[in-house]
């Protein structure tokens, strides 16, 4: 079949009243060859074959209607010429952007949303001048059938539905004038789509064309009788006169020959609404339907307003108590509030109303598990499995229940069944995850790791896999016990001993870790990874001089094991040989990887440490020589930070200023969680101020959230954007407290934080700051790690400056600083854009005593949307090295070289691991820049090019 007018620049709008066949019409056009947008709204119980409408287009249409004080269910007319008002210029631009995302290039495609019946005027304004030349198909269905469908889906009464049908129909007809258009009747489309769609497209100047014979077959299969779920007895049910007349006019067929009739009906429709609701606001109809409250609940939940979202969902159940979906939505809101017992009641009500919905039983099972009722949870899973035996998630939940009931064989069967059905879900591989990541492990060992440990508790492979899983899950006590059990039965006891020592170190049992490593080295002296871990643990404990020989021993053993050995033992030759072994065709094992990383890092660290110490020893007048000697230059060592203004005498003061710098709200729930964590241990308004300092954010979200906490939480907005560092310095300038605590919007503090840190600072005025340990949390708030693994009791850290050269010990939420100390050392330095905090902590440590409370009392969130996420790898690497050099410069000259060696050694190991790992998010440019930087001073340009080429080829293999 051939096309008529080409669709190359033609959009097809499908408009019409809800439940009028717009979905069937859009999908039919799609099957003829027209594209649909991406991000489609999924099918559900009310439209089992899909809606075929873009989530982005629907969301934008909802925003447009909301801007006009309308909801999709509000039949009240929009104002005349509303889409042409100058205030909607930004909306017109946004509409074009949304359309270009939905159909890139505005090429041929079908855009469907019943709301377009009302918002089409603005879309036409937005597309004017683009050459898109849209056509419009208006789906029509008998108003009584529409009313029946809306009653089932939304609990809408007939009078409301008929008024809504009248409004959508009249506004769609008027909005589409001037476009090629046609009416498409649902009653005609289902039995004869060719005879219906062909003339309609011809009326628009198009020819019906199907890209392939299979398309016609698919349309025949798609347009089945199941689409027609509501058929009215049109003979016995009367219609309001205006609706009846409008339906008759539609049936005349050609909209452009009946414009006068439509205008007459339209005028009467507007007069009727002037009498019904003359004010400019919305009508009283939307709040009468449960769906309006449910949509409001979804919106409130997306903003993090969980209590209000629950109340809105509950209102939906009151208005339509026979709709199971509303009870299910209420249950989900209650679950989000951790009101599990109340959620059970709602879930059981949903199941009573519609027992055939699998998701209801599944959520019931998950809720019962949270309440510690595994037997009842399993019954709920079995009910769900009876409805959908091929849903992988149900087998996974069932397996977890069986595992918790000490039925490992049945649990393994469930996990295997879940993986068979859906192999790409990481959670299903819980017992297998670490074995899958271990190169060369067999699938059977991976699959049966948990069961095998119970069946063969002395098998070292199972012990190592399960111990590794426990360690990565944060269960360090279990991991340490399992690694210890593996030592006597492992063929190479140095491997589990190394892992056990690492876990002991993480747990804060550092003395035990050092003893274990030294004992194992005496028995197994030929393992470089044991010497290296010993060196790192000693360095972290401040025993840098003792760490040096351990690092040297590790390098010597690594060099002996290098195959093939380098021609000469120069740093450049060693590095090239190590890289060649790492990037060989066969993937190297983890021990070879660690060995080569240590060789690469050690070669660079030796040269960089030597050159830094030499640069620091030169007199100030030879600054040009300094620049040439230290590869990054030493100009940052003399950086002058901005001044922090003293508090005015007349200013009202307090003990503590808790400052929350923000720029846009990344996640409303995170900011609320941050403020809530502070208020849970609020020292009181007389003692502490809590100020959110907004750096001229365009989104305004922070102020809306702070209003909920006013007046306890204050809001300050900068007149203009100062940037990340500038906003932190602004916080210092406006802080009224004797002490200042920064908490970022995505971080939290834990109970006891202020009690643990304020007391030591108030007891001794010479102490400039106090910090606690802290936890890593991810986007969900789950704890993924803890820092530091500290054995010392609380007290002043005499070696803190040296420790800061080795590790970043503090984060913003974990430290409180005396304001006068900030005044003494200056504000945050723009010279360190990525690690301006680390530079500040080092300056404070050099100023005076700093108190340490090792317990983890703060939480630092790591996520892709953080303020520093956009820095390139080279910017991060350069900034980290400069700040470490500046910290080392503050040490006594006799300590500099040993600390510099240890610092750069550990730091460069991380960098080389990232370079070699093909899964790391480094671009080719990052690889070139990083190798060039790390190789300066100890490799030639030719060697660096060869190393870069080798790395790029290696990363390209994966």
């Amino acid at each position: 079949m051939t096309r008529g007018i080409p669709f190359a620049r033609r959009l097809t709008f499908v408009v019409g009243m809800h439940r009028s066949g717009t979905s069937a019409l859009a999908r039919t056009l799609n099957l003829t060859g027209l594209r649909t947008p991406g991000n489609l709204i999924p099918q559900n119980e009310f439209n089992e074959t899909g809606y075929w409408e873009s989530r982005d287009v629907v969301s934008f249409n909802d925003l447009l209607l909301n801007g006009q004080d309308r909801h999709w269910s509000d039949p009240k007319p929009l104002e005349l010429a509303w889409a042409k008002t100058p205030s909607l210029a930004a909306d017109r631009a946004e509409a074009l952007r949304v359309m270009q995302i939905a159909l890139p290039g505005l090429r041929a495609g079908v855009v469907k949303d019943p709301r377009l019946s009302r918002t089409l005027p603005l879309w036409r304004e937005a597309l004017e001048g683009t050459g898109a030349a849209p056509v419009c198909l208006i789906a029509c269905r008998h108003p009584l059938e529409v009313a029946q469908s809306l009653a089932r889906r939304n609990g809408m009464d007939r009078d409301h539905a008929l008024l809504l049908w009248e409004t959508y129909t009249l506004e769609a007809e008027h909005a589409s004038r001037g476009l090629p258009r046609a009416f498409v009747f649902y009653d005609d489309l289902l039995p004869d789509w060719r005879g219906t769609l062909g003339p309609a497209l011809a009326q628009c100047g198009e020819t019906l064309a199907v890209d392939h014979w299979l398309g016609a077959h698919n349309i025949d299969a798609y347009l089945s009788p199941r689409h027609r779920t509501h058929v009215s007895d049109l003979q016995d049910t009367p219609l309001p006169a205006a609706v009846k007349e409008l339906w008759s006019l539609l049936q005349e067929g050609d909209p452009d020959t009946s414009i006068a009739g439509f205008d007459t009906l339209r005028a009467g429709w507007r007069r009727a609404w002037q009498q019904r609701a003359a004010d400019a606001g919305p009508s009283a109809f939307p709040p009468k339907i449960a769906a309006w409250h449910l949509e409001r609940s979804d919106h409130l939940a997306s903003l993090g307003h969980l209590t209000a979202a629950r109340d809105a969902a509950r209102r939906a159940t009151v208005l339509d108590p026979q709709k199971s979906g509303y009870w299910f939505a209420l249950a989900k809101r209650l679950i989000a509030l951790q009101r599990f017992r109340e959620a059970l009641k709602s879930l059981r009500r949903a199941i009573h109303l519609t027992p055939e919905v699998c998701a209801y039983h599944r959520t019931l099972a998950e809720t019962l598990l949270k309440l510690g009722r595994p037997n009842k949870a399993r019954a709920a899973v079995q009910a769900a499995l009876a409805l959908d035996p091929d849903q992988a998630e149900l087998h996974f939940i069932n397996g977890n229940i069986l595992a918790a009931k000490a039925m490992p064989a049945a649990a393994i069967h469930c996990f295997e069944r879940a993986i068979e059905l859906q192999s790409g879900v990481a959670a299903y591989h819980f017992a297998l995850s670490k074995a899958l990541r271990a190169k060369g492990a067999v699938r059977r060992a991976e699959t049966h790791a948990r069961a095998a440990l119970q069946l063969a508790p002395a098998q070292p492979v199972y012990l190592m896999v399960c111990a590794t899983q426990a360690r990565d899950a944060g269960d360090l006590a279990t991991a340490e016990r399992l690694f210890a059990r593996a030592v006597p039965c492992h063929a190479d006891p140095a491997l589990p001993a190394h892992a056990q020592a690492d876990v002991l170190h993480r747990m804060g049992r550092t003395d035990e870790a050092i003893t274990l490593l030294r004992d194992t080295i005496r028995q197994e002296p030929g393992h470089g990874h044991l010497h290296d871990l010993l060196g790192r643990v000693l360095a972290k404990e401040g025993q840098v001089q003792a760490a040096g020989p351990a690092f040297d021993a590790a390098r010597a053993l690594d060099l002996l094991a290098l195959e093939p050995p380098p021609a000469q033992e120069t740093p450049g030759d060693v590095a090239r040989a190590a890289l060649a072994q790492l990037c060989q065709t066969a993937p190297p094992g983890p021990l070879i990887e660690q060995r080569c990383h240590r060789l690469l890092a050690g070669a660079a660290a030796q040269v960089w440490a030597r050159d830094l110490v030499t640069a620091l020893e030169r007199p100030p007048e030879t600054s040009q020589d300094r620049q040439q000697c230290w590869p990054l230059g030493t100009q940052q060592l003399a950086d002058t930070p901005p001044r922090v203004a003293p508090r005015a005498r007349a200013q009202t003061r307090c003990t503590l200023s808790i400052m929350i710098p923000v720029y846009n709200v990344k996640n409303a729930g995170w900011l609320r969680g941050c403020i809530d964590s502070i208020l849970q241990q609020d020292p009181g308004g007389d003692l502490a101020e809590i100020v959110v300092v907004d750096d001229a954010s365009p989104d305004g979200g922070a102020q809306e959230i702070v209003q909920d906490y006013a007046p306890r939480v204050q809001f300050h907005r900068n007149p203009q954007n100062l940037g990340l560092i500038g906003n932190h310095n602004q916080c210092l300038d406006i802080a009224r407290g004797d002490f200042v605590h920064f908490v970022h919007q995505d971080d939290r503090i834990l109970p006891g934080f202020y009690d643990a840190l304020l007391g030591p600072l108030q007891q001794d005025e010479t102490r400039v700051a106090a910090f606690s340990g802290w936890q890593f949390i991810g986007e969900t708030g789950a704890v993924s790690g803890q820092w530091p693994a500290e054995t010392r009791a609380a007290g002043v850290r005499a070696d803190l400056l040296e420790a800061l050269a080795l590790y970043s010990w503090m984060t913003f939420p974990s430290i409180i600083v005396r304001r006068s100390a900030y005044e003494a050392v200056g504000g945050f330095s723009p010279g360190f854009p990525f690690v301006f905090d680390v530079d500040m902590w080092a300056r404070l440590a050099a100023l005076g005593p700093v108190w340490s409370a090792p317990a983890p009392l703060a939480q630092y969130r790591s996520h892709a949307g953080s303020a520093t996420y956009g820095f390139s790898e080279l910017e991060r690497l350069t900034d980290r090295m400069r700040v470490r050099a500046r910290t080392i410069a503050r040490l006594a000259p006799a300590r500099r070289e040993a600390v510099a060696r240890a610092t750069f050694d550990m730091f460069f190991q991380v960098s080389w691991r990232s370079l070699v790992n093909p899964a790391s998010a480094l671009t080719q440019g990052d690889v070139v820049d990083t190798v060039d930087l790390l190789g300066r001073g100890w490799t030639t340009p030719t060697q660096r090019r060869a190393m870069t080429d080798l790395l790029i080829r290696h990363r390209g293999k994966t």
Side-chain angles (χ1 to χ4, degrees), residues 99 142 156 187 195 245 317 436 456 461 706 715 740 900:
M99 186 63 72
H142 194 283
M156 188 181 293
D187 286 346
E245 191 173 352
T317 65
L436 286 170
V461 173
V706 171
F715 181 80
V740 181

Side-chain angles (χ1 to χ4, degrees), residues 317 359 435 527 576 737 831 939:
T317 65
H527 294 272
R576 187 166 52 187
T939 60

